[in-house]
Each structure stands twice: as C-alpha cells, then as structure tokens.
Amino acid sequence: MNLTDSATTSTATLPPSPPPASSESAPLLSESTLENASSQEDQYVASITEEHEVTCWGCGLCLILSPYTPIFKCGWCGAITNHNAVKIDNKYIWLKRLRDRFFLCILVLFMLFIIGAGIWAIYPVIFSESYFFGIFHMTIAVLLSITTISTFALSAFRSPGTPPLIPWGSYPAVGKSGLEGYTFCNYCSKPKSPNSHHCRSCGMCVLDMDHHCPFIGNCVGAGNHRVFILFLISSVISNFYVSLISSFAAFRIWPPVRQIPMAAFSGPGDYMLVFGSFKEIAFSFFTSVESLSVRGFILIYLCIASVVVEIGLGVLLWQQLSYIYEGNTYLSILSSRGTNRTSKKDCQNFVRFFGCPYSATRCLLGFWNSRKTHKK
C-alpha cells in the first residue's frame, strides 16, 4: 500500500469522539485521541506533498501540482514538461538510412547518366550544325550541370540545422523565461526549441524542419532549405533544356519518312480513305524507327525521362514556393491541420526566406529611382 492509500485509509478510520466518562478517565482519552489525530494529519500532509511534487527538467525547481496534470509549464524558466511523452524504440533506423543511401545513389547515377549520355548523343549533332552553335550550347550545359550538382551536394551533405544549445537543468544557470516554450526530446535527451522537430530517420532534432527527403538522404531544414529550393529550380531548368535539345537532335538525325501526297486528304469525306492514309503514315513512321541508330534511341529516352522528371520536380517546387509564400513549412501545415491557424501570405516571405537584408519594396524603389535622370 502506497502513501496515498495509507493516508486515505487512516483518515477514513478516525475514531469517533469518546463518550462521556468519569472525570478521571476523560483527560487520558482526549490526550491519546489528539496525539493519534495529529500523527495521522502529519502523515496525510506528507503523502500529499510527495504525490504532487514534480521537478522541472529545465531549471530543476520543485513544483507542487495536481496529480491530473500530465503536461505543465514551469512558471520560472517556461519549459514545458509532458509526462505522457513515450519514447518509441526505433529499431529499424538502419533500414531507413539504407533506403536513403539507395535513393541517393540512384539519383546520382541518373544525373551522371543524363550528363554523360547527353554529351555523347547530343553534342556531335549540335557541333555538326555549327561550331559556334555547339560551343554556345556546351557552355549552357556545363553551367547547368555545375549548378545542379553543387546545389545537390550542399542540400544532401550540409547539416539541416540543429536547435541552439542553451543551459538547462540548473536554476542558477537558467534565467527567467530562458526556456520559454522548450520541450524535452526523449530521443536526443536535450532541450528542443518550439520550432524544432525530431526526425527518426536522421536520429536528430532539426530546426525549422520541412520534411525528410530520401532522395537527398537528408532532412530539409533551416540549414539547407534555401539550397534545396535552388536545387529544385536548377533541376527543373536543366531537365527543360535537356528535353528541348534532345528533341532537336533527334529530329535532325531521324531517318526520312516516306512522304504521303496531300491529294489523299483533299478528296471528299471518305473516312476509309483518311483512315488508310493515317495507317500508312504510322507504318512509315515505325519503319523509320527500325532503322534508327543507338544514338537516336538514347535521345528519345533522354527526352521522355527529362519531361517526366521535370513535371515531378515542377510540382514539388510549386508546392515548396507556395509554402514559403504562406510563411509555413510542410511539417507546420501537417501539424496545424484541422485547426484555425492562419499565417500571413506575403511576397516579403520570399525575401526573408532567401535572406535579403532589405525589404522587397525598398529594393524595387531603389532600382526605380536609380533609373531616373535629371534633365536641365
């Protein structure tokens, strides 16, 4: 039986007031009853104090709370304690990391294939048109390749951002409201700021976490979010360029297709004649495909693959830019789903996100005023 049960039992079995007795025995009964009642009261107060006494993880101060308060906020340091938080053992974190490494290798191989196959299949055709034309497009391809690979490497291998390390656990070291809104991460065993989230795939708390991207094998947070957006922009532009230049090169080396006389389409509306003409065109096209070289098939693959990747990355880029415009992240949208939480939608969010020290209106007004000239 714990202290609470014993206190409850002792208070429930208090002896009733003694019946009137002789003058010799009455003082003895009253003194024993008072001593018993006082000891039971002391025991009850001690058990209540031990039951409600909780230590704040942030500053170490002892707080007296109701037993039905699993989540509370310290009045001194502002730290939030959640007794209901349960640490889930992540036994398969190695499997998640292996998955991330697999997707990372697949993406690296795909980019290298696009660059290598493009140089082998496209630029001999481009240089056959004109030497200046080939140098121009080769320069564009090198710039796009360097930009895409560098932004990919920065977003994949740069730290996504860790919460700030501040003093905690001791009252003299933690000042007033020094841990305002902080919670305790049971996985990292250290304070977690209000705008941080623990990623179970990376095994760390990430500041301003947006999402965990398995294709870069890293989280997208405060440390690499801007670089990740630049990687998406560069990838969309690069795939658009590859789709255009590969389709142009494929058109230049495509075998000639047997011409169909236009008189076959100028006659009366005979549907069988039109159907036969289209059937003959399709047959001529597939016949030309049979005589297509290996370079032509690679160009077709480059065109189709770049268009598909461009569509997928374009949708992801549009989603990311819309979240930035709203001043949110993907994770904050998920956490606020079903609530009335709203944020200010403004183009200034783009300026703050990309780190411009001045407001957008100030930059535009400065550029506009610099164009004005004074006439005498």
Side-chain angles (χ1 to χ4, degrees), residues 63 81 126 135 149 157 175 217 247 345:
L63 306 176
T81 302
I126 300 299
I135 292 296
I149 293 176
F157 301 107
S247 59
K345 300 180 180 180

Side-chain angles (χ1 to χ4, degrees), residues 10-92:
S10 60
T11 53
T13 58
L14 288 176
S17 59
S22 62
S23 59
E24 296 179 357
S25 60
L28 297 177
L29 290 175
S30 60
E31 290 178 0
S32 61
T33 303
L34 289 176
E35 290 178 358
N36 189 15
S38 62
S39 63
Q40 292 173 356
E41 183 179 359
D42 294 339
Q43 184 180 4
Y44 180 77
V45 172
S47 62
I48 289 296
T49 304
E50 294 176 2
E51 180 70 17
H52 296 179
E53 187 178 277
V54 180
T55 302
C56 175
W57 64 265
C59 58
L61 296 178
C62 295
L63 306 176
I64 305 300
L65 300 173
S66 170
Y68 303 103
T69 310
I71 304 176
F72 65 90
K73 182 178 181 180
C74 179
W76 170 256
C77 65
I80 300 174
T81 302
N82 185 7
H83 290 294
N84 290 338
V86 180
K87 179 180 179 180
I88 302 175
D89 293 333
N90 195 2
K91 300 179 180 179
Y92 303 101

